[in-house]
Amino acid sequence: MSRAAIRYAKAILETALSSGKANQVNDDMKSIIAAVNSSADLKDFLASPIITSEVKMNVLSEIFGSVQADTKSLFRLLQENKRFEILEAIATQFNVQFDEMNGVEVAKVTTAFPIPADLEAKILAKATAMSTKKITIQNTVDPSIIGGFILRIGDKQYNASVSNRLQELKREFSN
């Protein structure tokens, strides 16, 4: 995460708080992250040094036409400074800072397959017991863990993956 993205996110959060639109801007940032993550073309477009910042601004205004004024001011600022390539990082950092401010902690759960709603509810209950903050679940799918799960809350990690257990067995047998 670039320090510039952190600074931009902090500035936009302060602006959104003073205008009373922090929740709406947080939703804007989530939609920006989703759009960039779901479209490799959009990610490449934003990172391209060949495309002018004016063209990028026009495209973003078209894609995100209904965003808050504070989000549009971020677009203008990125246009002036020619920094559109860090838009996703800014949006991600904004979400992190917004959650911290509201006492929300993200429990990152890595599984070999997408977790069903009933299992997510059980994980949420366990994670809530491990933390004093309000917990939200973020699921990442990584087939390389074979099975089980890896739960990370803040700086704590619980690794119950099959691949981890296999590595432990391998270490035991090699000693």
Side-chain angles (χ1 to χ4, degrees):
M1 187 66 58
S2 77
R3 293 205 310 225
I6 293 168
R7 286 193 299 271
Y8 277 104
K10 185 176 183 182
I12 295 302
L13 180 59
E14 288 171 2
T15 304
L17 287 169
S18 65
S19 69
K21 301 278 187 188
N23 285 327
Q24 295 89 329
V25 173
N26 191 46
D27 292 340
D28 290 349
M29 296 300 158
K30 287 179 181 176
S31 68
I32 289 168
I33 294 166
V36 174
N37 284 337
S38 66
S39 172
D41 290 340
L42 181 57
K43 186 175 243 162
D44 293 343
F45 173 81
L46 291 172
S48 174
I50 298 167
I51 301 167
T52 66
S53 57
E54 289 76 26
V55 172
K56 291 177 184 180
M57 179 66 177
N58 292 337
V59 170
L60 285 177
S61 296
E62 194 68 33
I63 295 172
F64 302 108
S66 62
V67 296
Q68 298 296 313
D70 294 331
T71 306
K72 288 178 182 172
S73 71
L74 170 64
F75 293 165
R76 284 190 296 279
L77 191 59
L78 293 175
Q79 178 185 11
E80 288 171 24
N81 296 323
K82 296 177 175 49
R83 296 298 304 264
F84 280 112
E85 74 281 357
I86 63 171
L87 177 60
E88 181 189 10
I90 293 168
T92 301
Q93 190 58 41
F94 183 97
N95 287 150
V96 168
Q97 291 179 19
F98 183 81
D99 285 348
E100 272 179 22
M101 182 188 76
N102 289 305
V104 175
E105 194 164 30
V106 177
K108 296 180 180 175
V109 181
T110 305
T111 54
F113 56 89
I115 52 177
D118 60 329
L119 184 56
E120 186 173 320
K122 289 178 184 175
I123 292 171
L124 185 60
K126 280 282 188 207
T128 303
M130 292 172 61
S131 175
T132 57
K133 296 180 178 179
K134 183 178 177 235
I135 299 288
T136 59
I137 299 285
Q138 179 183 28
N139 183 217
T140 304
V141 176
D142 180 3
S144 72
I145 70 167
I146 304 168
F149 65 93
I150 301 169
L151 174 64
R152 177 183 284 278
I153 302 173
D155 60 352
K156 296 180 220 135
Q157 177 173 304
Y158 178 71
N159 193 335
S161 66
V162 172
S163 64
N164 183 57
R165 185 68 186 123
L166 289 171
Q167 287 296 324
E168 288 173 1
L169 287 171
K170 185 177 177 183
R171 280 191 297 273
E172 283 179 32
F173 286 126
S174 66
N175 288 340

